[in-house]
Amino acid sequence: MRSGVERIKVYARVRDFQDSEIQGTTAEEAVAVQINEATCVVLETLSSSTINAKTKTRRTPFTFDQCFSSAPSVGKGALASQEDVYNAVGKPLVDNALSGYNSSFIVYGQTGSGKTHTVYGPPNALGSALEGLIPRVCNEVFARQQASAANIVIHDVSVSLCEVYQERVYDLLSSRRQALEVGGETTVNGFFVRGLQTTTVGGYSDVVLLLQQAEQNKSYGATAKNERSSRAHTLFTMDIVSSSPESGAPKVRSKIVLADLAGCENVKTAKSD
């Protein structure tokens, strides 16, 4: 984010219930959190040995920069769509990147909490209202290039996709399942992955093809929490070379890094070992 202007921001999103989570009860009875604007309240049912006769639930509030509810029984107001999340989280990343600042977001949470849904969208969602943050960010970058009022000229855009699975790094754009080596820090690009393929893209359609290709190479597995769970950390990197002719400033290189982390969970409960 812009130095002196922006800071690290933290958001929370609550997904809707899966059918298995409300069997034998109602959605209202199954609710474990409540959302009120930027505050998320965790509801914990206590055992009778730790509470008095009048108290059955412990309420623990957590305050974020913004909370999104995608569950009808959680929070107030309209449900948060993929577009709502993008407008709050993704669009500022594009603004900063086209101003010459590196930007990133990291999605973290328990297995089955909806991380990959938020980042990529459900299967076959590309180009639809359900597509996630990554395709929307890419679409916005190229849309800015075409908008004459933006006063931004994008000279070059390239992307790479890799995953970290069982402490090994793999190129998701390569058909060869070969572990890559992480190189030491440099003064220009920081840490890097030797042999990681970087592909130049000329538009949103090019990115869609790469995301579809990467989807076939990702590591998935079934857990007790999710039938199709991402079992690896996935990093999408977009390098942008742009300039603003009106300002007379030289070309700038900026980077957007989007990280979809593997599930954080109790291994015994999730049965993911």
Side-chain angles (χ1 to χ4, degrees), residues 20-214:
S20 60
E21 295 170 328
I22 54 176
Q23 289 181 352
T25 184
T26 65
E28 288 72 18
E29 293 171 335
V31 166
V33 295
Q34 291 178 344
I35 288 179
N36 184 12
E37 297 181 349
T39 300
C40 182
V41 180
V42 177
L43 309 177
E44 180 185 5
T45 301
L46 304 177
S47 63
S48 58
S49 60
T50 61
I51 60 176
N52 58 45
K54 297 182 179 180
T55 305
K56 295 183 178 181
T57 304
R58 175 186 292 158
R59 301 170 58 88
T60 307
F62 297 89
T63 300
F64 301 89
D65 287 282
Q66 188 171 344
C67 294
F68 305 97
S69 173
S70 297
S73 54
V74 177
K76 301 177 181 179
L79 300 182
S81 65
Q82 296 282 70
E83 183 177 4
D84 293 331
V85 175
Y86 167 73
N87 287 335
V89 182
K91 210 163 190 176
L93 295 181
V94 178
D95 292 337
N96 285 330
L98 295 183
S99 297
Y101 297 91
N102 293 334
S103 301
S104 64
F105 71 72
I106 299 173
V107 182
Y108 174 83
Q110 182 177 316
T111 292
S113 59
K115 301 182 300 300
T116 300
H117 178 95
T118 297
V119 175
Y120 292 97
N124 304 315
L126 291 174
S128 75
L130 291 178
E131 70 178 2
L133 282 168
I134 287 180
R136 288 174 184 272
V137 164
C138 297
N139 197 16
E140 180 79 12
V141 168
F142 290 107
R144 297 287 184 91
Q145 184 180 27
Q146 297 174 359
S148 58
N151 298 321
I152 294 291
V153 175
I154 299 176
H155 301 277
D156 183 68
V157 179
S158 58
V159 301
S160 64
L161 278 129
C162 67
E163 74 171 13
V164 182
Y165 179 64
Q166 294 185 344
E167 301 184 4
R168 293 187 177 183
V169 181
Y170 298 95
D171 187 349
L172 290 176
L173 298 182
S174 173
S175 58
R176 299 178 59 189
R177 186 69 173 176
Q178 181 179 2
L180 303 178
E181 180 183 354
V182 178
E185 187 174 6
T186 68
T187 57
V188 178
N189 295 319
F191 291 94
F192 61 95
V193 179
R194 290 189 177 93
L196 181 64
Q197 178 178 332
T198 299
T199 303
T200 300
V201 290
Y204 172 71
S205 60
D206 292 341
V207 177
V208 169
L209 291 175
L210 294 177
L211 290 176
Q212 291 172 336
Q213 177 183 341

